[in-house]
Amino acid sequence: MVLAGLSGSGKTILFYQLRDGSPHQGTVTSMEPNDGTFVLHSELGKKGKIKPVHLVDVPGHSRLKPKLDEFLPNAAGLIFVVDALDFLPNCRPAAEYLYDILTKSSVVKKRIPVLILCNKTDKVTAHSKEFIRKQLEKEIDKLRTSRNAISTADISDEFMLGVPGEPFTFEQCRNKVTVAEASGLTSEVSQVEQFIREHVKP
Amino acid sequence: MLEQLLIFTRGGLILWSSCRGLGNALKGSPIDALIRSCLLEERSAETSFAHDAYTLKWAFHNELGLVFVAVYQRILHLLYVDDLLAAVRREFAEIYDPKRTSYDDFDETFRQLQKEAEARAEEMKKSKQAGRAPAVPGKKQGAGGAAQRDAKQKGNGAGGGGSGKDDGDGDGDSGKGRWLANGNGNGQEKGARERSHAPPGSVVVKGKENGGPQAGAFDVNKLQKLRSKGGKKSDNTKPASKGGEPKKIVKKNRVWDDSPSESRLDFTDPVDERGEGIVEAVAADQGESMMDKEEDLSSESEAEEEDEEVEGAKPGAKKKGWFTSMFQSIAGNAIIEKSDLQPALKALKDRLMTKNVAEEIAEKLCESVAASLEGKKLGSFTRISSTVQTAMEEALLRILTPKRSIDILREVHAAKEHGKPYVIVFVGVNGVGKSTNLAKVAYWLLQHNISVMLAACDTFRSGAVEQLRTHARRLQIPIFEKGYEKDPAVVAREAIQEASRNKSDVVLVDTAGRMQDNEPLMRALSKLINLNSPDLVLFVGEALVGNDAVDQLSKFNQKLADLSTVPNARLIDGILLTKFDTIDDKVGAALSMVYISGAPVMFVGCGQSYTDLKKLNVKSIVKTLLK
């Protein structure tokens, strides 16, 4: 299970939230991936056999993007974290990153399910997940047309996204893409945990 | 005064912070800036990093994957920070446990370490100072832990040292004096060490009393230094401005001998944009530009080359016995020390330099890799040279991977939607190939159905305008020109206006080549950039350049930053590397340029015809560099 997203979207906090139930004393920009296999903190109290989850938090800094390729092929699912508070200025880079992920061959061939997580929803000025979803779809649509206009050999486009001629929506992806909300700081991570539990093989 | 000391993992979790309860109360989040602009850029071997009003120093613990960062005000010069970082690293490594995430008990240890480090620094300072008149006895104040050390010294020495503190290091002391006073406030738990004595007390008070005038004394010193620097600068600009004068003189024809003056030798065709003229418009279709062709990567195994290198590295690493080192490398328990790394790093540095990487860049890179490997445990069955090799490979990959998107086409489309033309300015020193590569870029853009317009802002070199005119005719694109001896900034502005009028998508602006030391020309360039705010400032550099690349790029960037009128100066956004076909495998110039400027290589020119434009293949460059 891979946590990816732009730098500053809150992945490391979410990682520690899921693992320990609290973000401790805060985080700084990650320089290395955080890799851990553990039982989700909220499930610790449950009885019965609980399978530990292998979670990897990949740094979002652009210089470290190649690290994502190391972990993607073995991923059972991808959580793409988006900063719901500071969304609009980062909309274009977030959409580009998401587009790159959705067009990677490993993601498409294995139909890795993707959860787009709108983080920092505890703040008042955070955008709603519907708004973010629509914005991302629009941006990816624009990216699609500009990439296709480039024709033949493009940079790293390995697969075409969506149906040509129609505006892009996430339903058109062959792998399942859903949107959810969470807040790393106040430990509102129930939707994330649900996603994880669904897709980690029991 | 130390603002904050932070301990965090390489994965990003903050383990301990000296500033409790306030969280990250520093302005502008300097820690993130440090990580982004310094540590991730492989500049971790530098000693300090300045950001806004703070200076940051750091230390690594590579084995445990921890980073220790100390933040303090930039105007203070605290001498004990390095010491403190090393001590903190030692202490924390002992109590560190990967499972634990809160280390409250470290507060006590830290405070003690801080006092000790300050005391040590003070001792060193005192031993350097000459004795002076004894200090004024002041109010008695219970000193903190530092008093323990001070009390051990002779009274005279302490008094003399105390008064002798006001030259040079005045500020650090006033800061320290202040801290000690604070330490008194909340250092009461160290009751055992509380003694009141005249000498240390006077030390503290001296620091406090003279805090005002001492700070003042420091400021005056600083002011004098600035003034002398300013004086030097004005000297430099004077001759340069004189150099600028002769350019305004109108050109006269040269008379070689006594022959009568001949008729005008100007055979330029009358200005004629879409001219059929003398040159026939060559069909713009010369085949696909190499930008669009994918490169095949041949994956050779590098294992054979590695063995040769080990032979060279081994004779150097004979500090421990040969048998023990072999045994340890098999068992995997050797901790890497700096002395072990030296031979391997030296070999690597020499290899990089033979590949035409600038010397200081190779040096800095090797130091950065050393900083990241020191203290790490060697994995079993690995040799030092292979660890160093992998670390260097990763570092090179990280540097050459672009930080920003190099997809120009996407940005052009974005600008198109906004209805504005996308402006690219080509800058560089003389003779690197700006005009030629400008034409290649125009050709490539044309192949993607983007309308291009050329702007001839090289109004200095003879024939520059005609050269562009010829290119424009062959590619059948419009060109905006105003002839020679005109102000390039104004020409560029009018060209952009013209482009938005006739709906061109991209404007390619050609500028005159200029040496990085030429002050008036650099000023003219920054005026052009400020006036027109282009979307992309492309620095054209040739791959043949050696150590001069560092000088060129840093001076260009510096001049653009200094002479800019807006707070966020436009710097070099991208690099175009030319004459790549002339170097076989000496590809180091690419690395030097990217490292020094942080800008990605957007295009690579590899020939002299229109199709010879490629993208930089990062993996193959890294492989070639380390071969």
Side-chain angles (χ1 to χ4, degrees), chain A residues 37-73:
Chain A
T37 308
F38 45 81
V39 177
L40 288 177
H41 181 79
S42 56
E43 294 182 344
L44 279 177
K46 284 207 205 142
K47 306 226 177 84
K49 185 157 191 243
I50 306 176
K51 193 156 196 276
V53 166
H54 182 200
L55 199 60
V56 179
D57 157 34
V58 177
H61 196 259
S62 30
R63 296 259 187 194
L64 299 168
K65 285 229 173 109
K67 296 258 186 197
L68 184 62
D69 297 326
E70 289 172 33
F71 296 106
L72 259 191

Side-chain angles (χ1 to χ4, degrees), chain B residues 482-494:
Chain B
K482 283 279 185 208
Y484 294 97
E485 307 288 335
K486 300 287 188 307
D487 185 3
V490 172
V491 177
R493 186 175 53 188
E494 294 175 10

Side-chain angles (χ1 to χ4, degrees), chain A residues 4-19:
Chain A
L6 286 183
S7 193
S9 50
K11 303 179 287 297
T12 309
I13 293 238
L14 268 175
F15 180 84
Y16 283 100
Q17 191 66 260
L18 289 170
R19 191 180 88 162

Side-chain angles (χ1 to χ4, degrees), chain B residues 186-397:
Chain B
N186 52 12
Q188 297 303 325
E189 74 273 31
K190 307 274 189 255
R193 303 209 204 113
E194 271 204 80
R195 308 178 212 177
S196 52
H197 343 280
S202 66
V203 160
V204 173
V205 173
K206 186 109 179 115
K208 261 180 77 182
E209 272 180 7
N210 294 5
Q214 270 182 14
F218 184 68
D219 284 349
V220 171
N221 284 344
K222 209 171 162 188
L223 208 60
Q224 278 175 349
K225 279 190 210 151
L226 275 176
R227 219 179 293 144
S228 60
K229 261 197 233 161
K232 269 191 244 157
K233 236 193 216 171
S234 54
D235 284 343
N236 279 347
T237 49
K238 270 201 212 122
S241 59
K242 274 199 210 133
E245 290 297 343
K247 262 176 65 182
K248 297 252 172 83
I249 302 178
V250 175
K251 285 187 196 167
K252 290 200 205 111
N253 279 343
R254 286 192 200 226
V255 182
W256 295 108
D257 46 31
D258 296 324
S259 58
S261 59
E262 313 190 4
S263 51
R264 282 185 69 231
L265 289 174
D266 184 7
F267 293 117
T268 51
D269 301 323
V271 175
D272 182 39
E273 290 214 337
R274 297 208 159 261
E276 286 69 30
I278 304 173
V279 178
E280 287 170 22
V282 175
D285 196 16
Q286 286 188 2
E288 235 181 70
S289 177
M290 297 222 308
M291 277 289 285
D292 302 321
K293 293 198 189 128
E294 291 288 328
E295 267 194 34
D296 296 318
L297 277 180
S298 59
S299 51
E300 310 154 11
S301 70
E302 297 180 333
E304 304 94 38
E305 283 120 1
E306 255 194 57
D307 289 330
E308 301 168 22
E309 299 308 321
V310 172
E311 251 76 276
K314 255 215 228 162
K318 272 206 169 134
K319 282 256 174 84
K320 313 183 207 156
W322 178 85
F323 189 68
T324 26
S325 61
M326 278 308 284
F327 185 67
Q328 271 186 332
S329 78
I330 293 179
N333 277 329
I335 295 201
I336 303 183
E337 319 223 334
K338 202 139 197 178
S339 47
D340 300 334
L341 290 170
Q342 289 301 38
L345 277 181
K346 182 151 188 337
L348 214 50
K349 180 182 162 197
D350 289 336
R351 215 187 321 175
L352 283 179
M353 277 171 57
T354 58
K355 295 280 159 62
N356 200 21
V357 179
E359 203 237 324
E360 32 172 299
I361 307 286
E363 181 74 44
K364 278 193 212 164
L365 258 178
C366 288
E367 279 174 23
S368 169
V369 170
S372 71
L373 281 182
E374 220 178 302
K376 255 207 180 135
K377 272 218 182 86
L378 265 184
S380 47
F381 287 108
T382 51
R383 290 181 277 233
I384 290 204
S385 58
S386 51
T387 331
V388 170
Q389 181 104 341
T390 353
M392 180 61 97
E393 221 175 282
E394 266 183 38
L396 288 177
L397 209 59

Side-chain angles (χ1 to χ4, degrees), chain A residues 31-32 61-67, chain B residues 10 39-42 44 368-369 372 391-403 594 618 622:
Chain A
M31 292 191 277
E32 280 182 1
H61 196 259
S62 30
R63 296 259 187 194
L64 299 168
K65 285 229 173 109
K67 296 258 186 197
Chain B
R10 285 187 80 95
L39 302 181
L40 277 178
E41 303 274 329
E42 294 304 315
S44 30
S368 169
V369 170
S372 71
M392 180 61 97
E393 221 175 282
E394 266 183 38
L396 288 177
L397 209 59
R398 239 198 327 245
I399 298 178
L400 289 171
T401 307
K403 240 189 325 200
V594 173
V618 178
V622 174

